Amino acid sequence: MFAIAADSALPSVYSAAPDFALKDTSGVNVRLSELRTEVVLINFWSSWCRSCRTEMPKLNELYEEFTDTDVQIIGVNVDDDPAVARRALKELKLNYPVLFDDRHRVSKAYDLPALPVTVLIDRSGQLRFVHQGYRAGNEKFYRDELSLLLAE
Amino acid sequence: MTMNSEHTAWKKWVFSTALLAFAAVTQAQVEEPAPAATKPLDDQVQELKQSVLNLNRELFVLEEELLFPANTQVVVFVSMDVGKYFTLDSVELTLDGKEVSAYLYTPRETDALLRGGVQRLHTDNLKVGVHELVAVFTGKGPSGRDYRRATSLSFEKTIGAKFVELRIADRASSQQPEFEVREWE
């Protein structure tokens, strides 16, 4: 559950998380490296991915739970058209920031094999946990891992 | 001499030789001067950290020299002046028709540019000869309208590093931003 197989395309654990900048829903550019010193959870998703849409409300609950801590939860949408993503977001009613990777530069940098993919990055910018796919109860692992990284 | 007595004599010889050797070693150890006082652990850790930092710096310089040797190196910088008439959002850079950089600027980065920072946007290797650079600036222009402007530079790459600056400045006379590309001599 925690480790990714050696032949996975994703960046390996304990490597530097590939830096990127993307626009959020307000049109403001957000850069990952500016979140250094915080614990970051990035969830890659798309509007057509059913597992993603099941997982995201759980991530929203986590976001509420970790408010006022050094945890940042960010969604990265990989739809070709941000308008499609925005329609999905209206239904999901998320409170955490969502960025648009419509040119797929970030999904290429992270070499996503499938969706959803959730990565956790520690305060020094290193990838520490990588989760491919979603199964009910994954949020418990995310909670434990976030707590672990916060305590470091 | 019988076998047994020969064996016993051999054993006595080996034992006495070993005893003499042990005594000699012990004596040598006793006569060795006392080792110099060891440095405090904190000092040793600090020295080790400094060595690691020095090594890291040398490796970085070596990497730059290997990846971008001075003979073929081209570096493109971005700078901004004032910024009253333009808020920078992104720069797309094309070299000889190939997109090499598409950089989005966060509010923090834009602020750093306005404060006089100069950003190293892109480093590349180019052969000697004529090359074309095209930069497309996107942002908010006067009155907050979307603004998109391109500027280009045709330059000759000779032996030696080439430095190009993309400069965004306010032109008060027309109350518009101006975008210029210039080579550093």
Side-chain angles (χ1 to χ4, degrees), chain B residues 76-87:
Chain B
V76 181
F77 298 94
V78 173
S79 66
M80 270 187 80
D81 179 30
V82 187
K84 190 176 168 188
Y85 301 120
F86 183 71
T87 305

Side-chain angles (χ1 to χ4, degrees), chain A residues 98-112:
Chain A
V98 171
L99 313 180
F100 298 113
D101 183 30
D102 52 309
R103 294 175 82 171
H104 308 297
R105 292 179 200 270
V106 181
S107 54
K108 276 185 194 149
Y110 280 78
D111 219 354
L112 302 179

Side-chain angles (χ1 to χ4, degrees), chain A residues 21-23 28-31 34 103 105, chain B residues 89 99 102-109:
Chain A
L22 292 172
K23 280 201 191 309
V28 175
N29 295 328
V30 175
R31 183 171 294 281
E34 289 185 2
R103 294 175 82 171
R105 292 179 200 270
Chain B
D89 178 72
E99 187 184 87
Y103 198 93
L104 290 176
Y105 291 86
T106 63
R108 194 188 290 187
E109 287 170 323

Side-chain angles (χ1 to χ4, degrees), chain A residues 88-133:
Chain A
L89 283 171
K90 269 190 186 168
E91 293 172 24
L92 290 162
K93 294 186 174 56
L94 304 174
N95 295 325
Y96 60 83
V98 171
L99 313 180
F100 298 113
D101 183 30
D102 52 309
R103 294 175 82 171
H104 308 297
R105 292 179 200 270
V106 181
S107 54
K108 276 185 194 149
Y110 280 78
D111 219 354
L112 302 179
L115 290 173
V117 167
T118 301
V119 302
L120 284 88
I121 300 166
D122 67 17
R123 294 176 190 271
S124 63
Q126 286 190 320
L127 270 174
R128 294 290 296 277
F129 299 97
V130 183
H131 298 267
Q132 188 176 327

Side-chain angles (χ1 to χ4, degrees), chain A residues 34-100:
Chain A
E34 289 185 2
L35 300 174
R36 197 64 62 84
T37 75
E38 298 188 67
V39 175
V40 182
L41 182 152
I42 302 176
N43 173 249
F44 294 91
W45 67 282
S46 72
S47 58
W48 45 259
C49 163
R50 195 179 296 178
S51 305
C52 304
R53 296 175 76 130
T54 307
E55 180 179 38
M56 288 161 76
K58 303 293 182 187
L59 291 175
N60 204 50
E61 288 171 15
L62 267 181
Y63 175 77
E64 301 295 339
E65 194 179 322
F66 282 94
T67 305
D68 296 331
T69 68
D70 287 341
V71 167
Q72 285 284 342
I73 293 182
I74 293 173
V76 173
N77 173 267
V78 301
D79 281 303
D80 294 340
D81 183 359
V84 173
R86 285 180 191 276
R87 281 197 291 275
L89 283 171
K90 269 190 186 168
E91 293 172 24
L92 290 162
K93 294 186 174 56
L94 304 174
N95 295 325
Y96 60 83
V98 171
L99 313 180
F100 298 113

